[in-house]
Amino acid sequence: MFCSGWESGYKERQTGIRKEGIGMSRRTKQWLKAAGVRAIRTMAQTAIATIGTAALMGDVPWVMVGSASVLAGALSLLTSVATGLPEVKFPE
């Protein structure tokens, strides 16, 4: 079925769906991916450091490892929002 440019734009405005995705730009996807990778790396580093404080594997406080890692990941995401991500460059 043939659809003119005006009708296509009208349908897009009515549905809120763009051809490249639902409401998320390429820049947003790139930033979310970079921030997520950074947060996961931070969480892994925190878990390794927290596990390293135990003398034996049986003495590892797993609840503390999990809570410290989740907190570190949340703080990483908040820092990325507040200061930006140097690895994500957007052309002017």
Side-chain angles (χ1 to χ4, degrees):
M1 179 176 175
F2 177 74
C3 187
S4 70
W6 181 85
E7 290 171 348
S8 172
Y10 177 75
K11 288 178 183 177
E12 179 180 317
R13 282 189 300 278
Q14 293 296 329
T15 61
I17 299 174
R18 290 185 275 166
K19 290 180 182 176
E20 63 270 358
I22 300 176
M24 200 180 306
S25 71
R26 183 178 51 83
R27 287 181 169 190
T28 303
K29 289 178 186 178
Q30 183 181 7
W31 188 91
L32 286 172
K33 181 179 178 183
V37 167
R38 181 178 275 214
I40 289 170
R41 286 181 181 167
T42 301
M43 291 172 68
Q45 290 170 350
T46 303
I48 290 168
T50 308
I51 291 169
T53 62
L56 301 170
M57 274 308 270
D59 296 336
V60 176
W62 293 108
V63 173
M64 187 175 79
V65 170
S67 64
S69 298
V70 169
L71 178 62
L75 290 175
S76 174
L77 288 174
L78 290 173
T79 302
S80 296
V81 168
T83 62
L85 294 168
E87 62 265 23
V88 178
K89 304 265 191 274
F90 294 121
E92 297 289 327

